[in-house]
Structure formats: C-alpha cells, structure tokens
Amino acid sequence: MRRWNGWGDETVSAALPVRAAETLAAWVGPGTAPHDATPEASLTAVPPSRLAAEGRLTLDPWTRLLHARGQSLPDWIALRSGRIGAVPDAVAFPETGGDVAALLAWARERGARLIPYGGGTSVAGHVNPQTSEAPVVTVDLSRLSRLVAFDEASRLATFGAGVKGPDLEAALRAHGFTLGHFPQSFELSTLGGWVATRSSGQQSLGYGRIERLFAGGRVETPSGRLDLPPFPASAAGPDLRELVLGSEGRIGVLTEGTVRVTPVPACEEVHGVFLPDFPSAIAAVRDLAAMRLPLSMLRLSTPEETRTTLLLAGHERLIRALETYLSLRGAREEKCLLLVGITGGENLVRQTRRQTLGALAMRGGVAAGKGFGREWNRNRFRAPYLRNSLWEAGWAVDTLETAAPWSRVPALLASVESALRTGLAGEGEKVHAFTHLSHVYLDGSSLYTTYLFRLAADPGVNLARWRKLKTAASDAISAGGGTISHQHGVGTDHAPWLAAEKGDLGIRALRGLFRTFDPDGLLNPGKLVP
Ligand SMILES: Cc1cc2nc3c(=O)[nH]c(=O)nc-3n(C[C@H](O)[C@H](O)[C@H](O)COP(=O)(O)OP(=O)(O)OC[C@H]3O[C@@H](n4cnc5c(N)ncnc54)[C@H](O)[C@@H]3O)c2cc1C
C-alpha cells in the first residue's frame, strides 16, 4: 500500500547507514525525530465537504485527505504535522474520456473547480487545492490506464493518461517494446503527469524527454475536445502538442496519450567512472556529448555529491577498498562520479563502451567496474525512500533543479549551492547541499541540487526555513541565467520566477491560451500562471 505521508510503498524502506547518520550530524547538527501526526489526528483537520453526495463524487474524508497534497517538502511538512491546509471537497474517478467531459460540464454548471491528478508526485505544489469560495474536485485519473491501441509498424502506443510507469512498461514489454521514460518517481507517476509537467527520465539522453516521446493524444477541455493526431513530422503551423506539454492541468485533461516506443534493447549497461576533479569531469562530459555516441545517460556528480553518495551507499568496507583503489589511480578528494548509460544492440554497445571509456581515460577517468553500475541500476528508485528514513532521523531533504548553457553552468552551480549553504546562517543552522548534472545536452546541462537541513520541532519553523532556502536558490537560478525548472514544472512553488523567464508578453500569451480552452477558469486555478 502507498505511504500516506511520505514516499512510496509502505512495505519498502531504505535504512540510513550508521556512519552516514553520524557524518550528517557532524555536517548539519544532530537530528531529533519529529512527532508525526497520526492519520486519525490528521483526519480531524479535514473540513466537511461543500458538495452534496452524488454518483460521480467520493466525499469520503480519507480519500480527500490522500488527494490534498503532492510530494514537495511543504507537502511533507503539512502531512506529517497534520496541518493539511485546503482539502478537495470531493474526488472523482472517471473511467472514460466521456466521464471527464461530463465532469467538465458539471463543473461549469455547478461553479466547481477541477484539479487533474495523475500520481500526485508533483514536487512543486501542482495538485494542492487553493482556498476558494468555489468547491474543488480532484480528478483522479487512475482508472484511465488501459493500453488503448498498439501500432507496431509505426511504433506508437496509446494509453489512458492515468497509467503509471510500471504498468505502462509491463504492457509494452509484453509486445517487446519500452518507452524508456524512467523518472525517479517512475513507480507512482503517470503518463498524463509526465506530459503536463514536461518530465525528463533518467535515460532521456537516449530515449528523449517526454516532449520527444509524446506523439499526440486526446484532451477534454471546457471548450471542447482537442484531438492531436500522431504525425511523424508536420509543417502545418505551430505544433499543438506544445500547448499540452507543460500545461499543468490548466487547459484540459489529457485522457489518452500516444507515445513513441522502442524495441527493448539487447543491452542496457551503466558504468561508474571517477574523474579526478570537476573541471576535467565537465570537459569529459562535453566531449562525450559532442561525440554524439548512442549513450542513454550521462550523470555527473560534483565532489561533494560523490562524497555524499558513497557515504549513503553503506557497504563501508567495499567503499573503503574502492576509494583506496581510486586514490592509487589519481582520483582522490576532488573525485567526481560519472554514471554512463549505454543502450542498444550488443555490437553497438561494445563499440560505444570502448569509445566512451577510452575518451574518459584520456581525461583521467577510472572505471569502477561493471558491478558498480549494476548496483546503481538495482537501486535506481531507492533514493526517494531514503528521504523517509532521513525525515524519521530528524532531517528534511529537498531537491531543486535548473538548466543553463555550458558557459553559465559552473557559476550557476556555485551560486545556487552558496545560496543554500548560507541560507539559514542567520538562525545558526547549517545546510548540506550537493549537485549533479542530471541531463547533458550539446549546448548545456541541467543541474540537480539536493539539500538537507535539520528539522525543528515546530512545523511552522520548518516551512519558514524551506521558504527561505527555496527563495534564495530560485533567485540565484533566475539571476544566473538558468530556467526555473528543467523537469519538475512550475506549479505554485516556481510560479513567482516564471515571469522573469517568459517576459510580460509571454505570460499574456499563456493567459490568453488558458482563456481559450477554459474561459471560466475551472481548471487547476493558481498553478503555472496564477
Ligand atoms: C521522489 C520523486 C522523484 C522525482 N523524479 C523525477 C524525475 O526524475 N524526473 C521528472 O521529470 N520528475 C520527477 N519528479 C517529479 C514528478 O514525479 C513529475 O512532475 C511527474 O511528471 C508528475 O507526474 P504525476 O502523474 O505524479 O502528476 P501529478 O503530480 O498528479 O500532477 C502534476 C501536474 O500535472 C497535471 N496532470 C496530471 N495528469 C494530468 C492529465 N492527465 N491531464 C492534464 N493534466 C494532468 C496536474 O494537474 C498537475 O498540475 C519526482 C518526484 C518525486 C516525488
């Protein structure tokens, strides 16, 4: 069963190694286990629904509570403290596109607001109801999850948009295909959510981000149905798929999505290579990007993140042996871990492996052996579970991300980390921040920063600390020429920085778009462009 106030499946946990806990305590101060609210106590914060019972709506308080928040740190603070804030008045579980169209018609008549809800894994406040006079209904799309059509000749598959990652992959693999979209939230996030937030999977270098994989679909909007046929390419004016990508539930509900799929590759390899320092590591990934090799992933950690990753991995003796070996080969204190994914047929993978490891060796790269990559692959969806253990030990963890041209990457990284590290100095608290380049492009890279700080006993203080850090880091991103989001979207948390990126005319254009599809402002108010 899904954890109601944290990440993932209740039966899965990731232990925090003892040495890691000791080191984190030395870095940011010892944590104190917080007193989390019980489900019973949290339920007392759910107000009565403002809607009357009817067939299409679930008014049950527990179901409403489960749909009140996503997975951002403020969401965790709310859920764990029992101070939930606004809760939807009802949850609807449509089973067909027709049900969604009927809900939209009902909402217009009733003056209700609707929030499309995929897996609820948003980390930017996308699915949280706003306080409003109008009743709010969360539209849970989990029953729209069938494989609707599979066109093998064209390598196109059409799914109900509420399909979750594992179910989508299982259905495709039964035909020998994969989508290759593996965000770290894969277990719980959905096709509709990926499209609506412009998501990026860990192997997007090979398979492409969702905007490349999303070939078309069907959107039910308050102004009618928008069908997006899947053309391989088209010069027929602006591409309407772009209106849906990143629309965050503001223009309509994606009920079906058609995606471009690939035959399951014969080989999927991940290699761990350590570079002696960050400048040489950046030069190495830029070389690799420019070589246009068939790689599926390049993920480069800074020295700080490399240290933290090795610490959190546990397996103390193995890691010590690895560090001794790396040190003998020249990768010491400033070493950076680079994960390289290679995907394809056996010959292609063999040739690519030789070229890649050869190019990295020229930059002083030391390969850590296949076991390292296999271990990463096995644990690739484990990191979010560690967030549960860290919280229970008294530390809050949050992540933020951006992307920028190569010429800006080093300065941007330094200013974001510095904003975080010094953000709580005024209250005498330390922040541990570390970064990796998660997605590498020819012209630039994304930066993905994780930060950790001590939880206070008062949830209000924790929220204020988060706000201070988020604001400082987002200001640094905006001033440093980065986008306010490379993959998590805008929601409410990034909205204050959107105008600086899009400009006044851009924001007006977006408002005009929302008005065209949703003239009465029924859908997900307050998100993306408030
Ligand atoms: C632990 C963790 C790891 C993550 N890792 C990644 C990662 O690697 N890459 C990445 O890109 N993101 C990642 N995320 C962020 C999140 O998973 C993505 O934003 C994801 O795309 C959200 O999908 P969802 O189905 O959960 O959508 P939800 O959270 O339910 O909704 C997100 C937004 O999409 C809208 N929406 C959802 N479905 C539809 C639909 N059918 N029609 C119209 N609008 C819709 C909602 O209204 C909302 O505005 C991570 C989050 C967590 C918690």
Side-chain angles (χ1 to χ4, degrees):
M1 201 174 358
R2 186 169 171 175
R3 223 177 233 105
W4 75 278
N5 62 355
W7 176 254
D9 189 313
E10 270 179 351
T11 61
V12 180
S13 60
L16 182 61
V18 176
R19 195 169 75 90
E22 288 165 2
T23 312
L24 290 177
W27 284 344
V28 298
T32 309
H35 295 290
D36 289 344
T38 59
E40 296 73 27
S42 300
L43 269 175
T44 62
V46 176
S49 172
R50 292 170 291 179
L51 289 165
E54 61 164 295
R56 74 183 98 221
L57 303 178
T58 302
L59 305 187
D60 161 52
W62 183 241
T63 308
R64 290 164 55 213
L65 173 64
L66 291 181
H67 289 82
R69 291 285 188 154
Q71 285 288 323
S72 69
L73 187 55
D75 294 337
W76 272 45
I77 294 170
L79 290 167
R80 299 260 183 175
S81 67
R83 299 182 190 177
I84 312 288
V87 173
D89 291 280
V91 182
F93 293 89
E95 294 182 6
T96 63
D99 290 348
V100 173
L103 255 175
L104 287 165
W106 169 86
R108 171 181 268 171
E109 210 172 279
R110 179 66 184 76
R113 304 290 177 261
L114 301 181
I115 303 180
Y117 183 101
T121 67
S122 156
V123 281
H126 287 102
V127 292
N128 305 354
Q130 310 261 294
T131 308
S132 77
E133 297 280 301
V136 178
V137 177
T138 294
V139 184
D140 182 318
L141 295 155
S142 57
R143 294 186 188 164
L144 279 165
S145 59
R146 268 184 334 108
L147 174 59
V148 177
F150 183 65
D151 173 353
E152 184 163 354
S154 317
R155 298 184 175 186
L156 291 171
T158 301
F159 284 93
V163 66
K164 292 194 170 52
D167 297 335
L168 176 143
E169 275 299 318
L172 289 178
R173 276 172 198 252
H175 292 269
F177 282 77
T178 176
L179 179 60
H181 188 73
F182 301 109
Q184 208 171 41
S185 56
F186 175 73
E187 283 173 70
L188 297 173
S189 55
T190 65
L191 173 58
W194 300 336
V195 171
T197 59
R198 299 188 81 101
S199 160
S200 193
Q202 291 168 338
Q203 285 163 276
S204 70
L205 186 60
Y207 293 102
R209 283 164 62 90
I210 201 67
E211 51 260 43
R212 197 171 103 196
L213 300 170
F214 176 58
R218 172 165 286 182
V219 189
E220 297 293 345
T221 87
S223 296
R225 176 182 296 164
L226 180 69
D227 274 318
L228 303 164
F231 301 116
S234 166
D239 187 343
L240 297 182
R241 285 172 313 158
E242 283 293 335
L243 307 184
V244 180
L245 283 156
S247 58
E248 304 194 352
R250 289 294 310 259
I251 67 165
V253 179
L254 182 71
T255 54
E256 284 179 13
T258 300
V259 286
R260 301 187 168 111
V261 299
T262 314
V264 174
C267 295
E268 287 264 22
E269 290 184 359
V270 178
H271 296 266
V273 179
F274 287 83
L275 281 301
D277 53 44
F278 200 53
S280 61
I282 287 207
V285 292
R286 288 177 60 185
D287 288 350
L288 287 178
M291 285 164 76
R292 295 179 183 269
L293 295 169
L295 300 174
S296 56
M297 178 173 64
L298 282 172
R299 181 186 156 114
L300 173 64
S301 297
T302 58
E304 195 61 68
E305 178 162 301
T306 303
R307 258 190 293 284
T308 309
T309 303
L310 294 178
L311 179 73
L312 291 174
H315 309 296
E316 243 179 85
R317 265 199 306 192
L318 267 178
I319 297 290
R320 217 174 307 126
L322 173 69
E323 296 213 276
T324 308
Y325 167 72
L326 292 172
S327 174
L328 289 171
R329 301 283 310 273
R332 303 194 176 98
E333 267 305 286
E334 289 304 298
K335 64 182 171 298
C336 296
L337 171 61
L338 172 64
L339 292 168
V340 183
I342 311 178
T343 298
E346 276 176 30
N347 283 339
L348 185 68
V349 166
R350 194 176 317 116
Q351 201 181 335
T352 307
R353 186 195 311 133
R354 195 166 34 77
Q355 280 177 288
T356 306
L357 297 182
L360 289 171
M362 302 278 282
R363 296 274 184 187
V366 186
K370 264 195 182 171
F372 194 92
R374 261 200 306 271
E375 198 55 16
W376 181 85
N377 224 355
R378 209 165 57 82
N379 288 318
R380 65 192 295 182
F381 302 121
R382 171 183 177 268
Y385 283 93
L386 209 47
R387 226 175 128 194
N388 297 324
S389 320
L390 284 161
W391 178 280
E392 279 139 27
W395 291 298
V397 185
D398 193 20
T399 60
L400 46 85
E401 34 83 55
T402 177
W406 281 119
S407 55
R408 291 181 184 269
V409 164
L412 182 59
L413 191 159
S415 69
V416 171
E417 285 193 348
S418 158
L420 292 169
R421 287 190 186 126
T422 57
L424 300 182
E427 41 192 296
E429 290 295 321
K430 292 190 201 135
V431 179
H432 181 55
F434 50 91
T435 301
H436 64 266
L437 311 191
S438 58
H439 300 80
V440 165
Y441 305 91
L442 265 178
D443 52 341
S445 167
S446 67
L447 301 174
Y448 188 96
T449 302
T450 303
Y451 59 101
L452 180 146
F453 59 96
R454 246 182 349 167
L455 284 166
D458 178 352
V461 171
N462 294 326
L463 193 59
R465 284 182 183 166
W466 171 81
R467 189 159 287 124
K468 216 181 256 182
L469 294 171
K470 182 78 176 176
T471 302
S474 301
D475 285 348
I477 286 173
S478 200
T483 172
I484 197 58
S485 178
H486 167 264
Q487 64 197 56
H488 288 163
V490 177
T492 48
D493 297 355
H494 298 146
W497 290 270
L498 193 68
E501 188 167 324
K502 303 284 187 210
D504 285 346
L505 182 56
I507 295 290
R508 268 191 282 138
L510 287 175
R511 286 193 204 285
L513 181 70
F514 299 161
R515 261 196 309 278
T516 301
F517 287 107
D518 180 19
D520 302 312
L522 303 179
L523 285 164
N524 214 5
K527 314 300 163 55
L528 184 55
V529 179

